[in-house]
Amino acid sequence: MAIKMRALAERFSALCAVALGASVAVSAIAGPEEVKGPGFDPGCFAPRDSSVKYLKYPTKKGPFKIALVNGYVGNAWRIQMVQTAKAYVELPDVKPDVAAFKVVSVGEDVPAQIGAIDQFINAGYDAVVMIANNSTSYGPVIERAAAANVVLVPFDVVVNSDKVIMVNESQADIGRLAGEYLVKHIPSHRGKILEVRGIAGTSVDQDRHDGFRKAMDAGGTWEYVEVRGKWDEGITHKVAADAIAVHGKFAGGYVQDGTPGLVHALIDTKHPFIPIAGQAENGFKKLCVQFKDKGLTCASAGQVPSLVAIALKTAIAAAKGNVLPQFISVPIPYSDTESLKAGVNYFPDQPDSFYTNNTFPACKVNIGADQIISKTKADQ
């Protein structure tokens, strides 16, 4: 018993020493510093608006160890995002900056995602890019990353913090563009609208919804029917078909992601074609072209998976000590029935699940479809 108690005491003392050392390290490193702009390469790293502040991390010497901590991976967008990240870090002008690259997808479990970030912090990684499972739970891990001088870059689903550099498109503007399109293409400016939302509790879903409703309400009188498609084509197909069975005819539809599911639901239920605003899925655009002469009108105002490339580029630039906006805004790819062109903004020879518009000229990011599709979706 005495031996066991002594061993426990020694272990406790060791843990205290580690904790004390950790606290000293935390207090010695300030994390990102707020500085004056303008920032590095403003053509690529554009601030969301004039109110955005600028941050600078202590300069590190590369190459860098970088991780992608993804959450939900159950739809085509997330799968292509992972593939795009793997393709991006292997580009000739990026690879010299990357000593190691790891990918982890944790599902919708917030504690598991925080734990994964902590593991990379503790393993000495230089940067972590992430799609948050919600917008409110990450304050403590943001502080731990800053204390360890680990660049943390939330993108797509961002967090409620001004202590990290974030990358996104204006989700409200994506919804706004969808609403403006439907208002323009429903001449009566009234009727029943099917809104297929994403994952509840995320900033993306809420911001797109708010932007969409604001634009719609400014241009007409509408009866809304909301369903949850979880940004997935199969789920969208089912919930849209169920909504048609219950509510009858719709004047228009908006799908945050999984848009082909609504088109197929219209076909399966023999519902007349309606104006649809949706994402940038190649399959959606193919359907828009195929059924254009039968009354299907479409707009694509979406967020493409190659946003991860801008997040990774941001992480590398920040790790090098460059001054960057705290919130970086990426242009929204837009196309509609009138502007769709094969080989430009949709690709007849690519899979339906492929998301188009993977080029960001201002950031010199151009990842080919073949480069993306060749990568696996698995963690690495």
Side-chain angles (χ1 to χ4, degrees), residues 17 41 73 99 121 137 142 144 164 206 213 215 218 222 227 245 287 292 334 341 375:
D41 193 1
V73 76
I121 293 171
S137 300
I142 288 171
R144 292 192 290 273
V164 290
Q206 190 62 49
R213 289 293 185 91
W222 315 100
V227 294
L287 290 167
K292 176 181 178 180
Y334 178 87
K341 185 176 180 181
K375 302 303 179 185

Side-chain angles (χ1 to χ4, degrees), residues 85-304:
K86 293 178 180 180
Y88 178 74
V89 298
E90 292 184 2
L91 293 178
D93 59 336
V94 179
K95 193 171 184 178
D97 284 324
V98 182
F101 182 63
K102 295 291 184 182
V103 177
V104 175
S105 295
V106 299
E108 297 179 62
D109 188 330
V110 172
Q113 188 171 46
I114 292 171
I117 297 168
D118 275 325
Q119 286 183 345
F120 286 116
I121 293 171
N122 295 334
Y125 271 63
D126 300 293
V128 176
V129 298
M130 62 176 287
I131 298 182
N133 276 332
N134 67 37
S135 299
T136 59
S137 300
Y138 297 85
V141 77
I142 288 171
E143 292 180 0
R144 292 192 290 273
N149 192 24
V150 176
V151 176
L152 185 61
V153 181
F155 70 101
D156 183 29
V157 180
V158 294
V159 297
N160 295 337
S161 173
D162 61 357
K163 307 298 184 183
V164 290
I165 298 170
M166 300 191 285
V167 175
N168 214 358
E169 295 167 356
S170 170
Q171 303 298 332
D173 280 348
I174 290 175
R176 175 185 59 79
L177 289 168
E180 289 175 352
Y181 182 84
L182 293 189
V183 168
K184 182 179 178 181
H185 287 79
I186 302 174
S188 65
H189 292 177
R190 63 177 59 248
K192 196 179 297 181
I193 302 297
L194 179 59
E195 181 184 4
V196 185
R197 298 186 62 174
I199 296 176
T202 63
S203 60
V204 171
D205 171 73
Q206 190 62 49
D207 290 351
R208 289 185 186 181
H209 166 77
D210 291 344
F212 173 68
R213 289 293 185 91
K214 185 175 181 180
M216 291 293 293
D217 291 343
T221 303
W222 315 100
E223 177 187 349
Y224 298 104
V225 174
E226 275 188 37
V227 294
R228 289 280 178 190
K230 296 187 73 172
W231 303 325
D232 179 83
E233 179 179 336
I235 297 173
T236 295
H237 189 165
K238 182 182 186 306
V239 297
D242 291 346
I244 292 168
V246 172
H247 297 280
K249 295 292 190 293
F250 288 92
Y254 171 45
V255 184
Q256 288 192 10
D257 206 333
T259 326
L262 175 54
V263 180
H264 289 302
L266 295 176
I267 295 169
D268 291 350
T269 61
K270 296 181 171 52
H271 189 294
F273 283 122
I274 56 177
I276 296 175
Q279 243 280 26
E281 307 100 325
N282 198 42
F284 173 46
K285 295 180 179 182
K286 288 184 190 179
L287 290 167
C288 293
V289 173
Q290 180 181 351
F291 293 107
K292 176 181 178 180
D293 295 337
K294 296 186 178 181
L296 180 61
T297 59
C298 308
S300 164
Q303 183 159 285
V304 292

